């Protein structure tokens, strides 16, 4: 048994950058439950426990107090060793770590709590008591924290869990529960934690980094600024187009190159034909920060700012801290395995967009243009 535990811990440590939380253990939780039972003998329940027997679990009763609820085993009264589940909804009673409902989660001092990377982020592994701590999050915002620990015996094991419900960064409820299981079941749970953590890390499509956001200075083709430049600039850079096509209703025209289409329009005030959009499908051209058709999604997201790790479901990579809705970056996922990165920024009165499309995890096209955002897809006329 000891050897199996060591193997599982080694696997967990190999996939974790550990940030140790407080030393929650099964023994600590069990002692707290014993002391709580003594305390409850002096409190009067709000309900009549004899009326709350669980027909599906004979001998189990729910007792309600002014601070929350308690589940007991055996008789409908709290005695030492009978408490199996406690939920606290007020700050009247502290848990085994000294925390209460109403506390800020920042007071817990848990590494990674400010921006969890995954929907279920493993943040601590404890070898004393054997267990772990993880954070439940949605879009990088925690809504729950849970410690799990095992009191391992030769054949029978006690699992204890301490769970916090979180809303707007505050603890709204605390639950402590104990559950008996076999040692084999406990080991299976530990293995599942390692497998889940590894699977989530493998599913990451973009990883948090310290790169800068997409900006107007990135609007380059083969290292040269072309958006809102005269069409002659493109001719000097790439030569004459293979062909051109006029757009309806005087919306300009398209210049066709091998693997590239440029959208141009005549500026009435200056009489100069300027470039307002590019669509590229060939690896013969480089774009902002030298992106190129064929690059992987992770390579690409590593070139631009990413405030949080984004999984296969997609999500927001970063948002503007100012009043403007730009700059911003999102990863969208569509049917058929298509994924699209969308970056936006403002430069004076111009809104600039970079849209990169991936198929099977590699760039198959990228677009650089001025335009509007429409239902998650970007549009720029007929480009």
């Amino acid at each position: 048994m000891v050897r199996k535990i060591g193997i599982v811990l080694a696997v967990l440590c190999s996939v974790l950058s550990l940030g140790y939380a407080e030393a929650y253990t099964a023994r600590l939780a069990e002692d707290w439950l014993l002391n709580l039972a003594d305390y409850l003998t002096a409190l009067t329940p709000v309900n009549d426990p004899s009326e709350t027997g669980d027909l599906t679990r004979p001998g189990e009763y729910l007792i309600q107090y002014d601070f929350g609820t308690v589940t007991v085993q055996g008789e409908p009264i709290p005695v030492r060793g009978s408490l199996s589940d406690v939920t606290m909804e007020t700050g009247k009673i502290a848990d085994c770590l000294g925390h209460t409902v109403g506390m800020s989660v920042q007071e817990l001092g848990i590494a990674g709590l400010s921006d969890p990377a995954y929907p279920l982020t493993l943040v601590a592994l404890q070898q004393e008591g054997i267990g772990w701590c993880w954070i439940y999050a949605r879009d990088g915002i925690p809504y729950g924290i849970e410690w799990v620990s095992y009191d391992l015996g030769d054949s029978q094991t006690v699992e204890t869990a301490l769970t916090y419900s979180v809303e707007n960064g505050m603890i709204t409820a605390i639950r402590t529960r104990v559950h008996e299981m076999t040692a084999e079941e406990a080991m299976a749970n530990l293995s599942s934690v390692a497998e889940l953590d590894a699977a989530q890390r493998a599913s990451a499509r973009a990883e948090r980094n310290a790169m800068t956001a997409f900006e107007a200075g990135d609007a380059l083709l083969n290292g040269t600024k072309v958006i809102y430049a005269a069409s002659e600039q493109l001719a000097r850079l790439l030569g004459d187009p293979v062909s051109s096509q006029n757009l309806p209703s005087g919306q300009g025209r398209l210049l066709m190159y091998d693997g590239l289409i440029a959208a141009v329009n005549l500026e009435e005030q200056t009489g100069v034909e300027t470039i307002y959009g590019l669509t590229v499908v060939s690896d013969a051209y480089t774009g902002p920060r030298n992106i190129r058709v064929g690059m992987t999604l992770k390579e690409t997201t590593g070139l631009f700012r990413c405030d949080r790790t984004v999984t296969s479901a997609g999500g927001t990579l970063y948002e503007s801290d100012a009043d403007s809705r730009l700059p911003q970056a999102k990863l969208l996922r569509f049917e058929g395995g298509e994924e699209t990165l969308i970056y936006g920024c403002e430069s004076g009165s111009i809104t600039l967009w970079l849209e990169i499309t991936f198929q099977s995890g590699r760039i198959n096209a990228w677009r650089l243009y001025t335009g509007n955002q429409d239902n998650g897809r970007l549009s720029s006329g007929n480009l």
Side-chain angles (χ1 to χ4, degrees):
M1 175 61 69
V2 173
R3 182 174 181 273
K4 288 183 179 179
I5 293 172
I7 292 173
V8 173
L9 289 175
V11 172
L12 282 168
C13 288
S14 70
V15 297
L16 273 177
S17 175
L18 296 179
Y20 286 94
E22 297 186 57
Y24 173 81
T25 65
R27 292 292 176 86
L28 184 64
E30 291 169 348
D31 289 343
W32 180 83
L33 289 170
L34 293 175
N35 293 329
L36 180 62
D38 293 337
Y39 172 75
L40 294 179
T41 58
L43 294 185
T44 302
V46 175
N47 67 333
D48 182 354
S50 64
E51 297 178 350
T52 62
D54 191 334
L55 297 179
T56 63
R57 302 182 187 88
E60 183 173 293
Y61 300 88
L62 182 70
I63 309 177
Q64 184 177 2
Y65 294 94
D66 58 355
F67 66 84
T69 58
V70 174
T71 300
V72 298
Q73 309 287 337
E75 300 295 327
I77 55 174
V79 296
R80 292 175 67 88
S82 70
L83 278 60
S84 61
D85 198 320
V86 178
T87 299
M88 297 176 290
E89 299 172 341
T90 74
K92 182 176 180 179
I93 298 176
D95 63 23
C96 63
L97 295 178
H99 303 149
T100 62
V101 170
M103 285 180 59
S104 166
V105 293
Q106 297 303 323
E107 297 180 61
L108 305 181
I110 301 175
L113 187 57
S114 60
D115 188 15
Y118 309 103
L120 192 57
T121 301
L122 191 61
V123 294
L125 178 66
Q126 302 151 326
Q127 296 192 35
E128 179 187 357
I130 310 302
W132 64 86
C133 175
W134 50 21
I135 301 170
Y136 297 86
R138 187 179 298 109
D139 295 330
I141 300 175
Y143 64 86
I145 305 166
E146 185 171 68
W147 285 263
V148 178
S149 183
Y150 295 95
D151 186 1
L152 295 171
D154 293 334
S155 59
Q156 202 67 17
T157 297
V158 176
E159 177 191 76
T160 68
L162 175 63
T163 308
Y164 295 169
S165 297
V166 178
E167 186 174 345
N168 297 323
M170 305 297 290
I171 299 173
T172 58
I174 300 176
R175 182 185 181 192
T176 295
R177 63 188 187 278
V178 297
H179 175 64
E180 290 187 354
M181 61 178 58
T182 65
E184 287 72 20
E185 289 173 325
M187 293 308 304
N189 288 348
L190 285 167
S191 297
S192 295
V193 170
E195 293 170 3
L196 173 64
D197 187 68
Q200 288 188 132
R201 290 173 184 273
S203 73
R205 313 301 288 155
E207 296 182 340
R208 183 175 180 176
N209 63 44
M211 301 297 289
T212 57
F214 170 68
E215 56 189 11
D218 292 318
L220 305 176
L221 173 68
N222 288 357
T224 301
K225 182 179 179 181
V226 292
I227 296 298
Y228 270 2
S231 57
E232 286 80 1
Q233 173 83 334
L234 194 63
R236 288 193 293 270
L237 183 65
L238 303 180
D240 294 330
V242 175
S243 63
S244 65
Q245 175 184 331
N246 291 325
L247 295 173
S249 304
Q251 295 183 51
R253 62 191 184 118
L254 300 180
L255 306 180
M256 311 293 189
Y257 291 85
D258 288 336
L260 182 149
I261 301 175
V264 298
N265 196 11
L266 184 66
E267 296 288 336
E268 295 182 359
Q269 294 180 341
T270 63
V272 176
E273 190 177 55
T274 60
I275 304 165
Y276 68 86
L278 297 172
T279 296
V280 178
V281 296
S282 169
D283 63 2
Y285 311 96
T286 61
R289 306 200 186 180
N290 289 320
I291 64 169
R292 187 189 296 268
V293 168
M295 285 180 60
T296 67
L297 179 57
K298 277 194 174 182
E299 285 178 309
T300 307
T301 55
L303 298 174
F304 300 88
R305 171 180 166 186
C306 187
D307 290 348
R308 60 180 61 91
T309 297
V310 176
T311 64
S312 57
T316 300
L317 280 67
Y318 65 81
E319 291 179 312
S320 172
D321 298 325
D323 294 335
S324 170
R325 63 188 178 92
L326 298 174
Q328 67 173 18
K330 294 181 178 180
L331 174 62
L332 307 178
R333 186 171 180 83
F334 301 96
E335 295 181 359
E338 179 186 333
E339 295 170 285
T340 300
L341 271 174
I342 299 175
Y343 295 97
C345 70
E346 291 178 343
S347 176
S349 60
I350 300 172
T351 301
L352 185 67
W353 296 100
L354 172 61
E355 179 180 352
I356 312 170
T357 303
F358 299 81
Q359 193 69 47
S360 301
R362 292 186 178 274
I363 297 178
N364 64 355
W366 57 269
R367 303 172 64 202
L368 181 65
Y369 57 90
T370 63
N372 301 312
Q373 190 170 16
D374 181 20
N375 296 326
R377 292 280 196 168
L378 300 182
S379 60
S380 58
N382 294 318
L383 177 63

